[in-house]
Amino acid sequence: MTPTLDSGPDELEIGLAEIESREAGDRIIRGGAFRASGYLFSTGATAVAFALLLRHLGVVQFGRFSTVIALVTIASGLSDLGLQVIAQRRFAAAADHPARRKLVADVVGIRLAFAPLAVALCTAFALVAGYNSTMVIGTAVAGLGAMVVVLSASYAIPLAMHLRYFALTFVDVARQLVIVAGIVLLVVAGAGLGPFFVVYLAAGFVLLALTVLVVGRSYAVLPRLRFSEWRPILVETAPLALSLAINVLYLKVLIVMASLLVSGEQVGLFATASRVTEVLVGLPTFMIGVAFPLLAHAGKHDEERLAYALQRIVEVTLLVAVGFVVVLVVAAEPIIQIFGGSGYAAAVPVLRIQALALLGASLSQAWIQGVVAVHAQRALVLVNAVALVSVVALGAILIPTLEAQGAAIAAACGEAIMAATMLRALVRARPALRPNFAFAWRVILAGGLALLPLLLPVSPAVQGVLTAAVFGAAALVLRAVPLEVFQAFMPARSSSEPA
């Protein structure tokens, strides 16, 4: 039985007990698939909206739009403070329903105190950097929307911990559809750059209202503004908060650097390629994220189960990432043509380079879940610092000379460095969690076979479709897809099989 959050404490205890059951693994796989389906649906709608936006704004204006969104993403990351994963871990360990309710209220209060400071900081940077008034005001407006999204995430903690994937997907898709509808309406109306940032503010409030409605009265709490109660949470969160603050700078620093070092057109080209890869890296991130409740519990009680789950997550993550890379490399030209039209043709080589960043970015997302699950988040400060220094150094060297392509090279190298250092941190914390890469040859071979359509005398669009088909077929034939993925969707399983 799936509990509702209007249920009593006893039913809520049963909901958390589901994480310990052998069926939890199957539920998480199915939940991941459902979340991925919702993500793909909203991504498809967003792709249509952004195709209109790219054509409407043009290369230079889209570069300015993307610069503001990069600053807003930084503000959002600084507002999060690493609280989401720490709060989920504390939620799983809480003694009873009142303790969990108080935890949610504390998290809402902490974010309400710190999020405005993050938005103000990024807005001040836009002003000092000399951005025009539309970009400065846009940073403040869209930043406020990001702050509301972060508050919504606080109320969504119980949904994730009770494996309520339909509810989580519903509110996420609703927010994206508000953004899509707003962009389409503004494009049709012929709006300038500024109003597009208001869309993100409206979408944030819609998300907050829906999240509180779905959670129900059991967790629809007012914020607790008591520093004495926050202190234990902040102490535990501090290392992760610092590492995530560095990480969010690392993720967006290249587009900010580009806005200061090269022309607006080059910023627009890099932003276009980055937008495509950001959308795609979100899919494995969504799929991985649903597994964290199980990982958090296993990290404390069952290392063998944790190692088993992380291994399968890495296998699926690498498979999905390689599939995306080969498709982007082969079909970069028609993808850019669909998104932006002929005016963005120079973004094609940038996208082919940027595609390689998906490998490191996806694996980093898998391994960071394990690092946090085993309470080794202090190591994340060094991991993210190494990645940030690397990408800033590479960007400073490559962007002035190679412009947009240089930024893409820096991004791909930075993600590889991040993944390698994240894996090292995980293995140092728990040697038993070292992944077994014996499976990787199957994925690599499938990726190599998927490039064969490049030899055919057909259009790049047809080559891209064939590449996706060949990769999927090769992955199945070579058994690169973990068996558990198939078993999770079977009507029944033997209770002797591991979850």
Side-chain angles (χ1 to χ4, degrees), residues 38-96:
Y39 180 81
L40 287 173
F41 172 77
S42 59
T43 297
T46 302
V48 174
F50 269 86
L52 295 174
L53 184 63
L54 283 162
R55 288 171 167 80
H56 176 69
L57 293 180
V59 178
V60 174
Q61 286 286 74
F62 184 72
R64 291 171 180 164
F65 172 84
S66 298
T67 300
V68 170
I69 296 303
L71 288 175
V72 169
T73 303
I74 292 172
S76 178
L78 295 177
S79 302
D80 179 70
L81 294 171
L83 277 171
Q84 198 70 9
V85 289
I86 297 299
Q88 287 186 6
R89 198 170 66 191
R90 279 179 160 260
F91 192 97
D96 51 29

Side-chain angles (χ1 to χ4, degrees), residues 354-490:
Q354 185 80 8
L356 298 175
L358 288 170
L359 294 173
S362 299
L363 289 173
S364 293
Q365 290 300 316
W367 288 322
I368 193 174
Q369 302 280 334
V371 171
V372 177
V374 300
H375 294 236
Q377 59 264 26
R378 290 182 182 275
L380 296 179
V381 176
L382 179 60
V383 169
N384 285 285
V386 169
L388 177 61
V389 170
S390 300
V391 82
V392 168
L394 289 167
I397 295 170
L398 297 173
I399 292 175
T401 54
L402 299 177
E403 300 183 310
Q405 292 188 40
I409 294 171
C413 293
E415 294 291 3
I417 293 169
M418 168 73 84
T421 51
M422 190 72 72
L423 175 58
R424 183 174 182 271
L426 176 65
V427 174
R428 286 193 66 181
R430 294 280 185 91
L433 301 182
R434 182 187 300 274
N436 181 354
F437 287 104
F439 73 95
W441 71 269
R442 305 174 191 272
V443 179
I444 294 171
L445 180 56
L449 292 173
L451 294 175
L452 291 178
L454 283 172
L455 303 177
L456 299 177
V458 294
S459 69
V462 174
Q463 289 176 340
V465 173
L466 291 175
T467 292
V470 171
F471 182 79
L476 291 173
V477 171
L478 294 169
R479 298 182 180 179
V481 182
L483 183 61
E484 289 82 359
V485 173
F486 298 105
Q487 292 175 333
F489 293 94
M490 293 180 180

Side-chain angles (χ1 to χ4, degrees), residues 188-216:
V188 171
L193 179 61
F196 288 97
F197 300 122
V198 180
V199 172
Y200 286 83
L201 177 60
F205 280 109
V206 169
L207 177 64
L208 178 60
L210 287 177
T211 302
V212 173
L213 179 65
V214 170
V215 166

Side-chain angles (χ1 to χ4, degrees), residues 94-110:
D96 51 29
H97 176 61
R100 297 183 193 108
R101 183 180 169 89
K102 187 180 79 169
L103 172 67
V104 173
D106 285 333
V107 172
V108 174
I110 292 170

Side-chain angles (χ1 to χ4, degrees), residues 194-261:
F196 288 97
F197 300 122
V198 180
V199 172
Y200 286 83
L201 177 60
F205 280 109
V206 169
L207 177 64
L208 178 60
L210 287 177
T211 302
V212 173
L213 179 65
V214 170
V215 166
R217 64 180 181 274
S218 192
Y219 286 104
V221 295
L222 294 175
R224 278 166 47 96
L225 304 176
R226 301 179 185 176
F227 182 78
S228 60
E229 299 288 339
W230 296 352
R231 184 180 175 84
I233 301 173
L234 292 174
V235 169
E236 184 177 356
T237 305
L240 185 59
L242 179 57
S243 68
L244 289 181
I246 299 171
N247 179 255
V248 75
L249 289 172
Y250 152 78
L251 289 173
K252 293 300 180 181
V253 71
L254 285 173
I255 195 166
V256 176
M257 289 178 68
S259 74
L260 300 174
L261 295 174

